[in-house]
Amino acid sequence: MAATSRSLRSRRSCMAVPGSNPRFIEKAQGLPVDQVFLDLEDACAPLAKEGARHTIVDALNNGDWGDRIRVVRVNDWTTHWTYRDVVTVVEGAGANLDAIMLPKVQDAGQVKALDLLLTQIEKTVGLEVGRIGIEAQIENARGLVNVDEIAAASPRVETIIFGPADFMASINMKSLVVGEQPPGYDTGDAYHYILMRILMAARANDLQAIDGPYLQIKDVEGFRRVAGRSAALGFDGKWVLHPGQIDAANELYQPTQADYDHAEMILDAYDWCTSAEGGMKGAAMLGDEMIDEASRKMALVISAKGRAAGMRRTRKFEPPKG
Ligand code: GLV
Ligand code: MG
């Protein structure tokens, strides 16, 4: 699958579900999220990891996931769990899995190692080679410094994900409240550089940029405030840890209805004005608004996000009379 077709899928809300908890796994199948990831890493206790691999295989093969993107987060390469996580899950349920999430990625070699392992398993068990994607979590200073090469490390990479909790620990940020501004930092946004760095690497490689968790699960206003920042920059979605966060994520990471309608109108107006019927004009007009190639590109982005999220337009383009 080409990078562009991978990146067209909507990932507004990415639900984290502990792989060791069959009740939560069952419940996630009824939630209105774009993606579910079944976790073998930090939401899964060391002694529960082996059993969780099999719980996950069973859930992927027998669960009803609808059109949700199905992802499994394995343990990172500095542990001894990674290869068995990947082998057990992909051999057991590779046909029913969209991507592997690799946490704490530090350099391109770690992505390439996962790519090679996936390719061997796909060939061995007869799966389409290259279909399973990779989601790379940036969770420490080394990962961020190397994010460009990580994003370009394999055609399987679909998303670059900010992992704020581990990242805050990695850089010694003076706060325990994930995603919120550290006390004493009273100017700007302490996460701006990290978010922008990830976004640039993602966009330069046609990947999606995903924001990580907000741990105060009952504080939906706090979630909205923090999510609103990365959504405004252009991020494609955010993790959700609790059903109460889902509606906010789905709303914030898709265009507003007005913007979506406007984008579709711009595209129609541009097509019409540049057609023979519209006189093949270079500069198009939508009412009093002038549309050029750059505004068309902006409209294409909004329209693609809206369409991927299943939005429907509420305005119809009428060619100007006379
Ligand atoms: C997510 O994995 C995080 O560390 O924030
Ligand atoms: Mg983490």
Side-chain angles (χ1 to χ4, degrees), residues 162-306:
F162 176 39
D166 276 301
F167 202 97
M168 289 164 76
S170 155
I171 62 169
N172 297 2
M173 194 182 263
K174 210 173 151 196
S175 169
L176 284 171
V177 189
V178 173
E180 294 288 1
Q181 303 302 317
Y185 194 79
D186 57 5
T187 172
D189 175 359
Y191 303 94
H192 181 76
Y193 170 73
I194 311 165
L195 291 172
M196 272 308 214
R197 195 71 198 75
I198 287 173
L199 186 60
M200 292 309 117
R203 293 293 178 254
N205 291 279
D206 283 331
L207 309 178
Q208 290 187 325
I210 305 294
D211 196 0
Y214 185 75
L215 272 60
Q216 311 296 318
I217 55 172
K218 292 286 159 66
D219 181 1
V220 178
E221 275 321 299
F223 178 91
R224 281 186 170 275
R225 195 175 53 245
V226 171
R229 292 188 195 124
S230 63
L233 290 178
F235 269 60
D236 298 285
K238 185 170 173 69
W239 286 15
V240 291
L241 305 180
H242 185 269
Q245 298 177 329
I246 298 172
D247 286 350
N250 286 344
E251 179 197 317
L252 284 162
Y253 291 95
Q254 71 180 29
T256 61
Q257 186 66 45
D259 281 352
Y260 176 64
D261 282 335
H262 190 186
E264 295 289 10
M265 297 286 280
I266 288 176
L267 296 179
D268 285 353
Y270 189 88
D271 281 352
W272 188 81
C273 290
T274 53
S275 71
E277 202 192 340
M280 290 186 285
K281 299 185 196 77
M285 294 299 288
L286 175 62
D288 291 340
E289 181 184 357
M290 188 165 211
I291 297 158
D292 65 3
E293 184 53 28
S295 41
R296 193 182 77 93
K297 283 204 183 88
M298 291 166 70
L300 275 173
V301 171
I302 304 277
S303 134
K305 278 202 182 189

Side-chain angles (χ1 to χ4, degrees), residues 52-73:
R53 292 175 185 141
H54 300 286
T55 305
I56 287 175
V57 167
D58 180 54
L60 289 172
N61 288 338
N62 301 312
D64 179 5
W65 297 100
D67 55 9
R68 292 170 196 81
I69 302 175
R70 302 150 302 176
V71 177
V72 172
R73 178 165 74 165

Side-chain angles (χ1 to χ4, degrees), residues 41-42 73 103-104 137-139 162-167 213 239:
E41 202 218 20
D42 287 355
R73 178 165 74 165
K104 301 181 178 68
Q137 266 192 289
I138 299 298
E139 309 199 75
F162 176 39
D166 276 301
F167 202 97
W239 286 15

